[in-house]
Short mmCIF file of all heavy atoms in Angstrom, two decimals:
data_model
loop_
_atom_site.label_atom_id
_atom_site.label_comp_id
_atom_site.label_asym_id
_atom_site.label_seq_id
_atom_site.Cartn_x
_atom_site.Cartn_y
_atom_site.Cartn_z
N MET A 203 103.98 64.42 89.95
CA MET A 203 103.30 65.72 89.61
C MET A 203 102.13 65.96 90.59
O MET A 203 101.30 65.10 90.81
CB MET A 203 102.76 65.65 88.18
CG MET A 203 103.87 65.89 87.16
SD MET A 203 104.05 67.62 86.79
CE MET A 203 103.56 67.68 85.06
N VAL A 204 102.13 67.15 91.11
CA VAL A 204 101.05 67.49 92.06
C VAL A 204 100.05 68.37 91.35
O VAL A 204 100.44 69.33 90.68
CB VAL A 204 101.58 68.22 93.30
CG1 VAL A 204 100.48 68.45 94.28
CG2 VAL A 204 102.71 67.40 93.94
N LYS A 205 98.84 67.99 91.50
CA LYS A 205 97.77 68.78 90.86
C LYS A 205 97.32 69.91 91.79
O LYS A 205 96.96 69.68 92.95
CB LYS A 205 96.57 67.88 90.54
CG LYS A 205 96.42 67.64 89.05
CD LYS A 205 95.09 67.01 88.73
CE LYS A 205 94.78 67.07 87.24
NZ LYS A 205 93.44 66.51 86.97
N HIS A 206 97.42 71.17 91.35
CA HIS A 206 97.05 72.30 92.23
C HIS A 206 95.63 72.78 91.96
O HIS A 206 95.19 73.71 92.58
CB HIS A 206 98.04 73.46 91.99
CG HIS A 206 99.34 73.22 92.73
ND1 HIS A 206 99.45 73.33 94.05
CD2 HIS A 206 100.53 72.86 92.29
CE1 HIS A 206 100.68 73.04 94.44
NE2 HIS A 206 101.39 72.76 93.35
N GLU A 207 94.98 72.15 91.01
CA GLU A 207 93.64 72.56 90.74
C GLU A 207 92.66 72.03 91.76
O GLU A 207 92.88 70.97 92.35
CB GLU A 207 93.23 72.04 89.34
CG GLU A 207 93.80 72.90 88.23
CD GLU A 207 93.56 72.27 86.90
OE1 GLU A 207 94.10 71.19 86.60
OE2 GLU A 207 92.79 72.89 86.12
N GLY A 208 91.62 72.78 92.02
CA GLY A 208 90.63 72.32 92.98
C GLY A 208 89.67 73.44 93.26
O GLY A 208 90.09 74.58 93.45
N SER A 209 88.40 73.18 93.27
CA SER A 209 87.41 74.23 93.46
C SER A 209 87.53 74.92 94.80
O SER A 209 87.21 76.08 94.95
CB SER A 209 86.02 73.62 93.25
OG SER A 209 85.83 72.53 94.15
N SER A 210 88.01 74.19 95.80
CA SER A 210 88.08 74.73 97.16
C SER A 210 89.15 75.80 97.27
O SER A 210 89.18 76.61 98.18
CB SER A 210 88.32 73.62 98.19
OG SER A 210 89.55 72.99 97.91
N LYS A 211 90.07 75.81 96.32
CA LYS A 211 91.21 76.74 96.41
C LYS A 211 90.90 78.12 95.82
O LYS A 211 91.56 79.08 96.10
CB LYS A 211 92.42 76.12 95.70
CG LYS A 211 93.38 75.45 96.66
CD LYS A 211 94.74 75.33 96.05
CE LYS A 211 95.86 75.22 97.08
NZ LYS A 211 97.14 75.21 96.46
N THR A 212 89.87 78.16 95.04
CA THR A 212 89.54 79.39 94.28
C THR A 212 89.15 80.50 95.26
O THR A 212 89.63 81.58 95.23
CB THR A 212 88.42 79.14 93.27
OG1 THR A 212 88.71 77.93 92.60
CG2 THR A 212 88.37 80.30 92.28
N PHE A 213 88.20 80.16 96.13
CA PHE A 213 87.76 81.14 97.13
C PHE A 213 88.39 80.80 98.49
O PHE A 213 89.15 79.88 98.58
CB PHE A 213 86.23 81.16 97.23
CG PHE A 213 85.60 81.80 96.05
CD1 PHE A 213 85.06 81.03 95.01
CD2 PHE A 213 85.55 83.18 95.95
CE1 PHE A 213 84.50 81.64 93.92
CE2 PHE A 213 85.00 83.80 94.84
CZ PHE A 213 84.48 83.01 93.81
N GLY A 214 88.06 81.56 99.48
CA GLY A 214 88.59 81.25 100.83
C GLY A 214 89.62 82.25 101.25
O GLY A 214 89.33 83.45 101.30
N PRO A 215 90.80 81.84 101.58
CA PRO A 215 91.83 82.76 102.10
C PRO A 215 92.15 83.89 101.13
O PRO A 215 92.42 85.01 101.57
CB PRO A 215 93.07 81.87 102.30
CG PRO A 215 92.76 80.59 101.58
CD PRO A 215 91.29 80.45 101.50
N ARG A 216 92.09 83.62 99.87
CA ARG A 216 92.44 84.66 98.89
C ARG A 216 91.41 85.78 98.97
O ARG A 216 91.74 86.93 98.83
CB ARG A 216 92.44 84.01 97.49
CG ARG A 216 93.38 84.77 96.57
CD ARG A 216 93.43 84.04 95.23
NE ARG A 216 93.92 84.95 94.22
CZ ARG A 216 93.89 84.70 92.93
NH1 ARG A 216 93.31 83.60 92.50
NH2 ARG A 216 94.37 85.55 92.06
N TYR A 217 90.19 85.42 99.12
CA TYR A 217 89.11 86.41 99.14
C TYR A 217 89.28 87.33 100.35
O TYR A 217 89.23 88.52 100.24
CB TYR A 217 87.75 85.67 99.22
CG TYR A 217 86.56 86.57 99.18
CD1 TYR A 217 86.18 87.21 98.01
CD2 TYR A 217 85.79 86.77 100.31
CE1 TYR A 217 85.10 88.02 97.97
CE2 TYR A 217 84.69 87.58 100.29
CZ TYR A 217 84.34 88.20 99.14
OH TYR A 217 83.22 89.02 99.09
N GLY A 218 89.57 86.70 101.52
CA GLY A 218 89.74 87.51 102.72
C GLY A 218 90.96 88.39 102.66
O GLY A 218 90.90 89.54 103.14
N TRP A 219 91.99 87.95 102.02
CA TRP A 219 93.20 88.73 101.88
C TRP A 219 92.94 89.99 101.08
O TRP A 219 93.44 91.08 101.42
CB TRP A 219 94.27 87.88 101.21
CG TRP A 219 95.59 88.55 101.12
CD1 TRP A 219 96.50 88.68 102.10
CD2 TRP A 219 96.14 89.23 100.00
NE1 TRP A 219 97.60 89.38 101.65
CE2 TRP A 219 97.41 89.72 100.38
CE3 TRP A 219 95.69 89.43 98.68
CZ2 TRP A 219 98.21 90.44 99.48
CZ3 TRP A 219 96.48 90.14 97.78
CH2 TRP A 219 97.74 90.62 98.21
N THR A 220 92.17 89.84 100.04
CA THR A 220 91.86 91.00 99.17
C THR A 220 91.07 92.03 99.94
O THR A 220 91.32 93.23 99.88
CB THR A 220 91.08 90.54 97.94
OG1 THR A 220 91.71 89.41 97.40
CG2 THR A 220 91.00 91.65 96.91
N ILE A 221 90.10 91.58 100.74
CA ILE A 221 89.28 92.46 101.51
C ILE A 221 90.13 93.24 102.57
O ILE A 221 90.01 94.45 102.72
CB ILE A 221 88.15 91.68 102.26
CG1 ILE A 221 87.16 91.08 101.22
CG2 ILE A 221 87.43 92.55 103.27
CD1 ILE A 221 86.33 92.16 100.48
N LYS A 222 91.02 92.52 103.17
CA LYS A 222 91.87 93.12 104.18
C LYS A 222 92.78 94.17 103.56
O LYS A 222 92.94 95.27 104.09
CB LYS A 222 92.73 92.05 104.90
CG LYS A 222 93.26 92.53 106.21
CD LYS A 222 94.33 91.56 106.77
CE LYS A 222 94.99 92.17 107.99
NZ LYS A 222 95.83 93.32 107.71
N LYS A 223 93.32 93.90 102.43
CA LYS A 223 94.17 94.83 101.73
C LYS A 223 93.38 96.08 101.36
O LYS A 223 93.86 97.22 101.50
CB LYS A 223 94.72 94.21 100.47
CG LYS A 223 96.24 94.39 100.35
CD LYS A 223 96.72 94.00 98.97
CE LYS A 223 98.06 94.72 98.73
NZ LYS A 223 98.43 94.60 97.33
N LYS A 224 92.20 95.86 100.93
CA LYS A 224 91.31 96.97 100.54
C LYS A 224 90.99 97.82 101.75
O LYS A 224 91.01 99.04 101.70
CB LYS A 224 89.99 96.44 99.94
CG LYS A 224 89.84 96.69 98.46
CD LYS A 224 88.47 96.26 98.04
CE LYS A 224 88.23 96.55 96.55
NZ LYS A 224 86.94 96.02 96.10
N TYR A 225 90.72 97.15 102.85
CA TYR A 225 90.35 97.79 104.09
C TYR A 225 91.51 98.68 104.58
O TYR A 225 91.34 99.81 105.00
CB TYR A 225 89.98 96.76 105.15
CG TYR A 225 89.51 97.32 106.45
CD1 TYR A 225 88.24 97.87 106.57
CD2 TYR A 225 90.38 97.33 107.57
CE1 TYR A 225 87.84 98.43 107.80
CE2 TYR A 225 89.97 97.87 108.76
CZ TYR A 225 88.67 98.41 108.88
OH TYR A 225 88.29 98.93 110.08
N ASP A 226 92.72 98.11 104.54
CA ASP A 226 93.91 98.84 104.97
C ASP A 226 94.07 100.10 104.14
O ASP A 226 94.43 101.14 104.66
CB ASP A 226 95.15 97.96 104.80
CG ASP A 226 95.23 96.91 105.93
OD1 ASP A 226 94.48 97.03 106.88
OD2 ASP A 226 96.07 95.97 105.78
N LYS A 227 93.83 99.99 102.90
CA LYS A 227 94.02 101.11 101.97
C LYS A 227 92.98 102.20 102.32
O LYS A 227 93.27 103.38 102.35
CB LYS A 227 93.83 100.65 100.53
CG LYS A 227 94.84 101.33 99.62
CD LYS A 227 94.50 101.11 98.16
CE LYS A 227 95.11 102.19 97.34
NZ LYS A 227 94.57 102.25 95.99
N ILE A 228 91.77 101.73 102.62
CA ILE A 228 90.71 102.70 102.94
C ILE A 228 91.05 103.42 104.22
O ILE A 228 90.88 104.62 104.37
CB ILE A 228 89.34 101.95 103.07
CG1 ILE A 228 88.84 101.59 101.66
CG2 ILE A 228 88.32 102.82 103.79
CD1 ILE A 228 87.68 100.62 101.65
N MET A 229 91.54 102.70 105.21
CA MET A 229 91.90 103.28 106.51
C MET A 229 93.01 104.31 106.32
O MET A 229 93.00 105.39 106.93
CB MET A 229 92.37 102.22 107.50
CG MET A 229 91.23 101.31 107.95
SD MET A 229 89.78 102.20 108.55
CE MET A 229 90.29 102.56 110.22
N GLN A 230 93.95 104.00 105.46
CA GLN A 230 95.06 104.93 105.18
C GLN A 230 94.51 106.19 104.50
O GLN A 230 94.90 107.30 104.82
CB GLN A 230 96.06 104.27 104.29
CG GLN A 230 97.06 103.43 105.08
CD GLN A 230 98.11 102.77 104.21
OE1 GLN A 230 98.23 103.06 103.04
NE2 GLN A 230 98.88 101.87 104.79
N GLU A 231 93.62 106.01 103.57
CA GLU A 231 93.05 107.14 102.86
C GLU A 231 92.27 108.02 103.81
O GLU A 231 92.28 109.24 103.71
CB GLU A 231 92.09 106.64 101.77
CG GLU A 231 92.81 105.92 100.66
CD GLU A 231 92.94 106.81 99.43
OE1 GLU A 231 92.48 107.93 99.51
OE2 GLU A 231 93.47 106.31 98.44
N GLN A 232 91.58 107.41 104.78
CA GLN A 232 90.79 108.17 105.74
C GLN A 232 91.65 109.03 106.62
O GLN A 232 91.31 110.14 106.94
CB GLN A 232 90.00 107.19 106.61
CG GLN A 232 88.67 106.79 105.99
CD GLN A 232 87.84 105.98 106.95
OE1 GLN A 232 87.87 106.22 108.13
NE2 GLN A 232 87.10 105.01 106.46
N LYS A 233 92.76 108.47 107.05
CA LYS A 233 93.62 109.17 107.99
C LYS A 233 94.43 110.26 107.30
O LYS A 233 94.74 111.29 107.92
CB LYS A 233 94.57 108.18 108.68
CG LYS A 233 93.86 107.40 109.76
CD LYS A 233 94.80 106.36 110.31
CE LYS A 233 94.04 105.38 111.23
NZ LYS A 233 94.90 104.24 111.61
N ALA A 234 94.72 110.06 106.06
CA ALA A 234 95.61 110.99 105.34
C ALA A 234 94.85 112.28 105.03
O ALA A 234 93.62 112.31 104.89
CB ALA A 234 96.12 110.36 104.09
N LEU A 235 95.63 113.36 104.88
CA LEU A 235 95.05 114.60 104.46
C LEU A 235 94.95 114.60 102.95
O LEU A 235 95.87 114.11 102.26
CB LEU A 235 95.90 115.78 104.92
CG LEU A 235 95.82 116.09 106.41
CD1 LEU A 235 96.91 117.08 106.78
CD2 LEU A 235 94.47 116.65 106.81
N HIS A 236 93.87 115.13 102.43
CA HIS A 236 93.67 115.10 101.00
C HIS A 236 93.74 116.50 100.42
O HIS A 236 93.60 117.51 101.10
CB HIS A 236 92.31 114.48 100.68
CG HIS A 236 92.24 113.02 101.00
ND1 HIS A 236 92.59 112.05 100.09
CD2 HIS A 236 91.92 112.39 102.16
CE1 HIS A 236 92.46 110.87 100.65
NE2 HIS A 236 92.07 111.04 101.89
N LYS A 237 93.98 116.48 99.11
CA LYS A 237 94.09 117.75 98.43
C LYS A 237 92.71 118.35 98.19
O LYS A 237 91.78 117.67 97.74
CB LYS A 237 94.79 117.52 97.08
CG LYS A 237 95.47 118.79 96.58
CD LYS A 237 96.31 118.45 95.34
CE LYS A 237 97.32 119.54 95.06
NZ LYS A 237 98.11 119.20 93.87
N CYS A 238 92.58 119.63 98.54
CA CYS A 238 91.30 120.29 98.36
C CYS A 238 91.08 120.64 96.89
O CYS A 238 91.94 121.26 96.27
CB CYS A 238 91.28 121.55 99.23
SG CYS A 238 89.79 122.50 98.99
N PRO A 239 89.92 120.29 96.36
CA PRO A 239 89.63 120.64 94.96
C PRO A 239 89.33 122.10 94.76
O PRO A 239 89.24 122.59 93.63
CB PRO A 239 88.41 119.77 94.64
CG PRO A 239 87.79 119.48 95.95
CD PRO A 239 88.89 119.50 96.99
N TYR A 240 89.22 122.83 95.85
CA TYR A 240 88.88 124.27 95.76
C TYR A 240 90.11 125.18 95.92
O TYR A 240 90.29 126.13 95.15
CB TYR A 240 87.83 124.65 96.79
CG TYR A 240 86.54 123.88 96.62
CD1 TYR A 240 86.26 122.75 97.39
CD2 TYR A 240 85.62 124.25 95.66
CE1 TYR A 240 85.11 122.01 97.19
CE2 TYR A 240 84.45 123.53 95.42
CZ TYR A 240 84.21 122.42 96.22
OH TYR A 240 83.09 121.69 96.04
N CYS A 241 90.98 124.89 96.93
CA CYS A 241 92.12 125.72 97.12
C CYS A 241 93.45 125.01 96.86
O CYS A 241 94.51 125.59 96.98
CB CYS A 241 92.09 126.31 98.54
SG CYS A 241 92.37 125.05 99.82
N ASN A 242 93.32 123.71 96.56
CA ASN A 242 94.52 122.90 96.20
C ASN A 242 95.49 122.64 97.37
O ASN A 242 96.59 122.17 97.13
CB ASN A 242 95.26 123.54 95.02
CG ASN A 242 94.90 122.81 93.74
OD1 ASN A 242 94.06 121.91 93.73
ND2 ASN A 242 95.52 123.19 92.66
N LYS A 243 95.07 122.97 98.57
CA LYS A 243 95.90 122.71 99.72
C LYS A 243 95.59 121.29 100.21
O LYS A 243 94.46 120.89 100.23
CB LYS A 243 95.67 123.74 100.84
CG LYS A 243 96.30 125.07 100.52
CD LYS A 243 95.90 126.05 101.60
CE LYS A 243 96.36 127.50 101.24
NZ LYS A 243 95.72 128.49 102.12
N GLU A 244 96.61 120.67 100.75
CA GLU A 244 96.39 119.30 101.26
C GLU A 244 95.95 119.41 102.71
O GLU A 244 96.65 119.04 103.66
CB GLU A 244 97.65 118.47 101.11
CG GLU A 244 97.91 118.11 99.69
CD GLU A 244 98.80 116.91 99.49
OE1 GLU A 244 99.01 116.15 100.45
OE2 GLU A 244 99.30 116.75 98.39
N LYS A 245 94.75 119.91 102.90
CA LYS A 245 94.23 120.11 104.25
C LYS A 245 92.84 119.59 104.43
O LYS A 245 92.08 120.01 105.30
CB LYS A 245 94.27 121.63 104.59
CG LYS A 245 95.67 122.13 104.83
CD LYS A 245 95.61 123.43 105.60
CE LYS A 245 97.00 123.83 106.10
NZ LYS A 245 96.96 124.99 106.96
N VAL A 246 92.49 118.67 103.56
CA VAL A 246 91.11 118.15 103.61
C VAL A 246 91.05 116.92 104.51
O VAL A 246 91.80 115.97 104.35
CB VAL A 246 90.61 117.81 102.20
CG1 VAL A 246 89.22 117.12 102.27
CG2 VAL A 246 90.53 119.09 101.37
N LYS A 247 90.20 116.97 105.47
CA LYS A 247 90.00 115.87 106.42
C LYS A 247 88.58 115.34 106.30
O LYS A 247 87.64 116.07 106.04
CB LYS A 247 90.20 116.39 107.85
CG LYS A 247 91.59 116.08 108.37
CD LYS A 247 91.61 116.46 109.84
CE LYS A 247 92.81 115.87 110.58
NZ LYS A 247 92.77 116.25 112.00
N ARG A 248 88.44 114.07 106.57
CA ARG A 248 87.14 113.45 106.49
C ARG A 248 86.36 113.77 107.78
O ARG A 248 86.89 113.52 108.90
CB ARG A 248 87.29 111.93 106.38
CG ARG A 248 86.05 111.27 105.79
CD ARG A 248 86.24 109.78 105.75
NE ARG A 248 85.97 109.20 107.10
CZ ARG A 248 84.92 108.41 107.37
NH1 ARG A 248 84.13 108.03 106.41
NH2 ARG A 248 84.73 107.97 108.57
N VAL A 249 85.21 114.32 107.66
CA VAL A 249 84.39 114.65 108.82
C VAL A 249 83.55 113.44 109.19
O VAL A 249 83.51 112.97 110.32
CB VAL A 249 83.48 115.84 108.55
CG1 VAL A 249 82.62 116.20 109.78
CG2 VAL A 249 84.32 117.05 108.15
N SER A 250 82.85 112.92 108.23
CA SER A 250 82.09 111.67 108.40
C SER A 250 81.91 111.09 107.01
O SER A 250 82.42 111.63 106.03
CB SER A 250 80.73 111.92 109.08
OG SER A 250 79.93 112.71 108.26
N THR A 251 81.22 109.98 106.93
CA THR A 251 81.08 109.27 105.68
C THR A 251 80.61 110.19 104.53
O THR A 251 79.54 110.74 104.58
CB THR A 251 80.10 108.09 105.83
OG1 THR A 251 80.46 107.37 106.98
CG2 THR A 251 80.18 107.20 104.60
N GLY A 252 81.52 110.41 103.60
CA GLY A 252 81.15 111.22 102.44
C GLY A 252 81.23 112.70 102.64
O GLY A 252 81.03 113.47 101.73
N ILE A 253 81.54 113.15 103.88
CA ILE A 253 81.61 114.59 104.15
C ILE A 253 83.07 114.97 104.46
O ILE A 253 83.69 114.33 105.32
CB ILE A 253 80.66 115.02 105.28
CG1 ILE A 253 79.23 114.66 104.87
CG2 ILE A 253 80.81 116.49 105.55
CD1 ILE A 253 78.25 114.72 106.04
N TRP A 254 83.54 115.98 103.82
CA TRP A 254 84.95 116.39 103.96
C TRP A 254 85.02 117.87 104.30
O TRP A 254 84.18 118.66 103.91
CB TRP A 254 85.69 116.12 102.65
CG TRP A 254 85.65 114.68 102.27
CD1 TRP A 254 84.58 114.02 101.68
CD2 TRP A 254 86.69 113.69 102.44
NE1 TRP A 254 84.93 112.71 101.51
CE2 TRP A 254 86.16 112.48 101.94
CE3 TRP A 254 87.96 113.75 102.97
CZ2 TRP A 254 86.95 111.31 101.97
CZ3 TRP A 254 88.73 112.60 102.99
CH2 TRP A 254 88.23 111.39 102.51
N HIS A 255 86.07 118.22 105.08
CA HIS A 255 86.25 119.61 105.45
C HIS A 255 87.67 120.04 105.16
O HIS A 255 88.62 119.35 105.52
CB HIS A 255 85.90 119.81 106.92
CG HIS A 255 86.11 121.23 107.34
ND1 HIS A 255 87.23 121.64 108.01
CD2 HIS A 255 85.34 122.33 107.19
CE1 HIS A 255 87.13 122.93 108.28
NE2 HIS A 255 86.00 123.38 107.78
N CYS A 256 87.80 121.21 104.53
CA CYS A 256 89.13 121.70 104.19
C CYS A 256 89.55 122.76 105.23
O CYS A 256 88.82 123.70 105.52
CB CYS A 256 89.13 122.32 102.80
SG CYS A 256 90.69 123.13 102.43
N GLY A 257 90.73 122.52 105.85
CA GLY A 257 91.22 123.46 106.83
C GLY A 257 91.86 124.69 106.19
O GLY A 257 92.15 125.66 106.84
N GLY A 258 92.07 124.62 104.91
CA GLY A 258 92.68 125.71 104.18
C GLY A 258 91.68 126.82 103.84
O GLY A 258 91.88 128.00 104.14
N CYS A 259 90.55 126.42 103.25
CA CYS A 259 89.56 127.44 102.81
C CYS A 259 88.23 127.22 103.53
O CYS A 259 87.27 127.90 103.22
CB CYS A 259 89.38 127.33 101.30
SG CYS A 259 88.79 125.74 100.74
N SER A 260 88.23 126.34 104.52
CA SER A 260 87.03 126.06 105.33
C SER A 260 85.84 125.62 104.53
O SER A 260 84.70 125.84 104.92
CB SER A 260 86.67 127.30 106.16
OG SER A 260 87.71 127.55 107.08
N THR A 261 86.08 124.98 103.44
CA THR A 261 84.98 124.50 102.63
C THR A 261 84.57 123.10 103.10
O THR A 261 85.43 122.25 103.37
CB THR A 261 85.37 124.44 101.15
OG1 THR A 261 85.81 125.69 100.73
CG2 THR A 261 84.20 124.02 100.27
N LYS A 262 83.28 122.91 103.21
CA LYS A 262 82.78 121.60 103.56
C LYS A 262 82.11 121.05 102.31
O LYS A 262 81.28 121.73 101.67
CB LYS A 262 81.73 121.71 104.69
CG LYS A 262 81.76 120.54 105.65
CD LYS A 262 80.82 120.80 106.80
CE LYS A 262 81.17 119.91 107.98
NZ LYS A 262 80.23 120.13 109.09
N PHE A 263 82.47 119.90 101.94
CA PHE A 263 81.87 119.34 100.74
C PHE A 263 81.71 117.82 100.82
O PHE A 263 82.31 117.18 101.69
CB PHE A 263 82.69 119.70 99.50
CG PHE A 263 84.12 119.19 99.54
CD1 PHE A 263 84.44 117.99 98.91
CD2 PHE A 263 85.10 119.88 100.19
CE1 PHE A 263 85.74 117.50 98.95
CE2 PHE A 263 86.42 119.41 100.23
CZ PHE A 263 86.73 118.21 99.60
N THR A 264 80.90 117.31 99.96
CA THR A 264 80.66 115.86 99.96
C THR A 264 81.42 115.26 98.79
O THR A 264 81.62 115.86 97.76
CB THR A 264 79.16 115.54 99.77
OG1 THR A 264 78.68 116.22 98.66
CG2 THR A 264 78.39 115.98 101.00
N SER A 265 81.88 114.06 99.03
CA SER A 265 82.61 113.34 98.01
C SER A 265 82.37 111.88 98.22
O SER A 265 81.45 111.49 98.92
CB SER A 265 84.10 113.69 98.09
OG SER A 265 84.78 113.17 96.98
N LYS A 266 83.23 111.07 97.66
CA LYS A 266 83.14 109.62 97.89
C LYS A 266 83.26 109.34 99.39
O LYS A 266 83.91 110.13 100.13
CB LYS A 266 84.24 108.90 97.13
CG LYS A 266 83.94 108.77 95.65
CD LYS A 266 85.05 108.01 94.98
CE LYS A 266 84.84 107.98 93.48
NZ LYS A 266 86.01 107.39 92.81
N ALA A 267 82.72 108.25 99.82
CA ALA A 267 82.64 107.95 101.25
C ALA A 267 84.02 107.92 101.91
O ALA A 267 84.16 108.40 103.02
CB ALA A 267 81.95 106.61 101.44
N TYR A 268 85.02 107.37 101.26
CA TYR A 268 86.30 107.16 101.94
C TYR A 268 87.49 107.91 101.34
O TYR A 268 88.57 107.87 101.89
CB TYR A 268 86.62 105.67 101.99
CG TYR A 268 85.58 104.89 102.73
CD1 TYR A 268 84.70 104.04 102.06
CD2 TYR A 268 85.41 105.06 104.10
CE1 TYR A 268 83.71 103.33 102.77
CE2 TYR A 268 84.46 104.39 104.79
CZ TYR A 268 83.60 103.52 104.13
OH TYR A 268 82.65 102.84 104.80
N THR A 269 87.26 108.55 100.23
CA THR A 269 88.38 109.31 99.66
C THR A 269 87.83 110.46 98.82
O THR A 269 86.69 110.44 98.39
CB THR A 269 89.29 108.41 98.79
OG1 THR A 269 90.38 109.17 98.37
CG2 THR A 269 88.53 107.84 97.59
N VAL A 270 88.65 111.46 98.62
CA VAL A 270 88.25 112.59 97.79
C VAL A 270 88.38 112.16 96.35
O VAL A 270 89.42 111.67 95.93
CB VAL A 270 89.10 113.83 98.10
CG1 VAL A 270 88.71 114.96 97.23
CG2 VAL A 270 88.97 114.19 99.55
N ALA A 271 87.37 112.41 95.61
CA ALA A 271 87.40 112.02 94.19
C ALA A 271 88.43 112.87 93.46
O ALA A 271 88.59 114.05 93.70
CB ALA A 271 86.02 112.23 93.58
N LYS A 272 89.12 112.18 92.57
CA LYS A 272 90.11 112.89 91.79
C LYS A 272 89.39 113.69 90.67
O LYS A 272 88.79 113.13 89.78
CB LYS A 272 91.10 111.90 91.18
CG LYS A 272 92.16 111.48 92.19
CD LYS A 272 92.94 110.31 91.64
CE LYS A 272 93.75 109.72 92.82
NZ LYS A 272 94.25 108.40 92.44
N THR A 273 89.49 114.98 90.81
CA THR A 273 88.79 115.79 89.81
C THR A 273 89.82 116.42 88.86
O THR A 273 90.92 116.76 89.23
CB THR A 273 88.02 116.95 90.52
OG1 THR A 273 88.85 117.49 91.52
CG2 THR A 273 86.73 116.43 91.16
N LYS A 274 89.39 116.53 87.65
CA LYS A 274 90.25 117.13 86.65
C LYS A 274 90.14 118.64 86.78
O LYS A 274 89.08 119.21 86.54
CB LYS A 274 89.85 116.68 85.23
CG LYS A 274 90.31 115.26 84.96
CD LYS A 274 89.78 114.82 83.61
CE LYS A 274 90.00 113.28 83.43
NZ LYS A 274 89.32 112.81 82.21
N VAL A 275 91.26 119.28 87.08
CA VAL A 275 91.23 120.75 87.22
C VAL A 275 91.95 121.38 86.02
O VAL A 275 93.05 120.96 85.67
CB VAL A 275 91.91 121.22 88.53
CG1 VAL A 275 91.75 122.75 88.68
CG2 VAL A 275 91.27 120.51 89.71
ZN1 ZN B 381 90.36 124.17 100.52
#
């Protein structure tokens, strides 16, 4: 029987993997066009951190840093 328990296994590669996965998701969210909460067109692009611009209705608005917050309409 092999014992898989060990304090060194808890952190380390697993932690880095989670961060990378999160980072990939953030990058994808940044590049993708988002749905505009004002005109509902998927033409919202990230201008800079927390600032978004909609190509549909030309609205500039602030939201979460890396993605448009899901708003209940
Ligand atoms: Zn819009």
Side-chain angles (χ1 to χ4, degrees):
M203 281 271 245
V204 184
K205 251 193 166 183
H206 282 287
E207 282 172 293
S209 55
S210 62
K211 262 200 157 186
T212 315
F213 287 100
R216 207 176 162 193
Y217 183 72
W219 184 79
T220 312
I221 293 293
K222 198 190 173 292
K223 228 192 158 191
K224 249 187 179 175
Y225 182 77
D226 284 349
K227 220 191 157 194
I228 285 168
M229 290 310 278
Q230 275 180 10
E231 291 257 2
Q232 273 187 35
K233 282 175 191 172
L235 287 169
H236 291 270
K237 205 172 196 179
C238 175
Y240 299 99
C241 68
N242 260 4
K243 285 175 188 167
E244 289 201 16
K245 286 200 169 186
V246 175
K247 260 187 166 181
R248 203 184 80 114
V249 180
S250 64
T251 311
I253 299 166
W254 301 78
H255 179 261
C256 173
C259 60
S260 295
T261 305
K262 214 175 201 181
F263 61 96
T264 54
S265 189
K266 282 181 185 174
Y268 299 110
T269 185
V270 178
K272 280 168 193 166
T273 44
K274 284 175 191 173
V275 185

